[in-house]
Amino acid sequence: MDYSSLPASTQTKTPAVAVKDFLVSYAVGGSVARFVKLTRADNRDFYRDILSEFLNYYIQAARGNNTSAFVFLYRILERISYSVPLLYTSTQSDFRGTFKDLKAILNADVEGELGLFKKFLGKGKFIDPLKLQVVQKVSLSTAVGGAAYYDLTCNRFSNFSSKDPAIHQVEIKFSDIPEFLITIRNRFFHLRTGDGRENITANEMLDSDEYFGKINPVILSFLAIVTLQTISAKYHV
């Protein structure tokens, strides 16, 4: 799949051609050799970690272990939540504007690094504001437990653009995907009784691999776009 655009589409190009097209479409510019030279010793630990997390996602997804694959998507979100705002700010030529933005974000009442990232994303400068409004579909209709998955999803997350109970489908804005990821992660991987939260029980989640197999691609699309946009901002010419 080609996750460099919204919505993601089937990749029809060879890897060599796809990389060259990425350099053009994301305004990175230059040849592949130039790009490799620029990135060889630049933020290697960060990008190596991100690449490893994506690879582990694909390995688990290929095995049908979609619950495990979801864990790696959450790990990617956590890894980029603090790094991406700093990387972006450091690359801008007009530091006066970025200082005001960064100051506003840091002075805001945000909850941890994930809250910081959400605030940063909402500024609409890192990613085109129009792209933030693009709606993604999550269809649960083909799943055996589609009706149950639809109910448990809508009961935990309310900020969908639209919901269709007849076909067990929801639509979500690109900008709301991080919050959706965090919500599902918290409600499924926690099962404390005393915290008063509507955690997802095993009776509701008939087959977690089936469920996460339906929602993972939308989350993956978001994380891929953010990662590619980070590269574009860093090496834009």
Side-chain angles (χ1 to χ4, degrees):
M1 297 297 292
D2 178 7
Y3 288 100
S4 66
S5 60
L6 287 175
S9 59
T10 302
Q11 179 61 272
T12 59
K13 304 170 184 175
T14 64
V17 173
V19 171
K20 290 179 181 178
D21 285 352
F22 160 72
L23 296 180
V24 174
S25 62
Y26 273 76
V28 177
S31 65
V32 174
R34 172 190 172 276
F35 180 71
V36 172
K37 182 179 180 180
L38 285 175
T39 59
R40 184 172 292 149
D42 197 11
N43 289 306
R44 297 301 292 174
D45 287 343
F46 172 74
Y47 289 114
R48 182 170 54 239
D49 287 349
I50 294 299
L51 178 60
S52 179
E53 299 294 337
F54 273 114
L55 289 174
N56 274 282
Y57 165 83
Y58 282 114
I59 289 171
Q60 296 304 322
R63 293 172 175 170
N65 300 332
N66 295 310
T67 309
S68 297
F70 174 84
V71 173
F72 287 102
L73 295 180
Y74 184 78
R75 286 169 58 85
I76 294 171
L77 178 62
E78 286 203 324
R79 188 70 171 90
I80 68 177
S81 291
Y82 183 67
S83 303
V84 166
L86 295 183
L87 281 172
Y88 171 74
T89 303
S90 69
T91 62
Q92 301 307 291
S93 58
D94 185 358
F95 288 109
R96 290 174 299 177
T98 56
F99 173 76
K100 291 179 181 179
D101 287 342
L102 191 59
K103 182 180 179 181
I105 294 172
L106 293 176
N107 286 343
D109 184 16
V110 297
E111 186 176 345
E113 295 181 6
L114 294 171
L116 173 69
F117 176 72
K118 182 179 178 182
K119 188 76 174 180
F120 166 74
L121 191 69
K123 284 289 182 178
K125 293 186 177 181
F126 173 63
I127 291 181
D128 187 335
L130 293 178
K131 186 172 289 187
L132 294 175
Q133 300 303 310
V134 171
V135 172
Q136 299 270 57
K137 293 181 180 179
V138 179
S139 177
L140 302 166
S141 61
T142 59
V144 174
Y149 301 149
Y150 176 85
D151 289 341
L152 75 84
T153 301
C154 294
N155 288 341
R156 271 71 182 193
F157 189 78
S158 58
N159 201 21
F160 290 115
S161 297
S162 68
K163 297 183 288 186
D164 191 334
I167 59 174
H168 308 140
Q169 177 177 287
V170 295
E171 294 185 331
I172 184 171
K173 289 182 181 178
F174 185 84
S175 59
D176 292 326
I177 292 176
E179 185 179 355
F180 174 63
L181 165 57
I182 294 166
T183 299
I184 296 300
R185 177 261 185 187
N186 289 343
R187 300 287 66 79
F188 180 70
F189 289 97
H190 294 160
L191 198 59
R192 294 188 299 267
T193 301
D195 64 4
R197 303 293 185 90
E198 287 189 72
N199 294 317
I200 299 172
T201 67
N203 288 329
E204 295 174 283
M205 186 70 79
L206 306 179
D207 183 340
S208 62
D209 284 330
E210 183 181 47
Y211 175 73
F212 286 111
K214 296 298 182 182
I215 70 170
N216 282 351
V218 169
I219 298 169
L220 174 63
S221 178
F222 171 87
L223 295 171
I225 292 289
V226 170
T227 301
L228 293 175
Q229 188 63 37
T230 302
I231 296 172
S232 172
K234 178 68 175 176
Y235 304 108
H236 177 80
V237 294

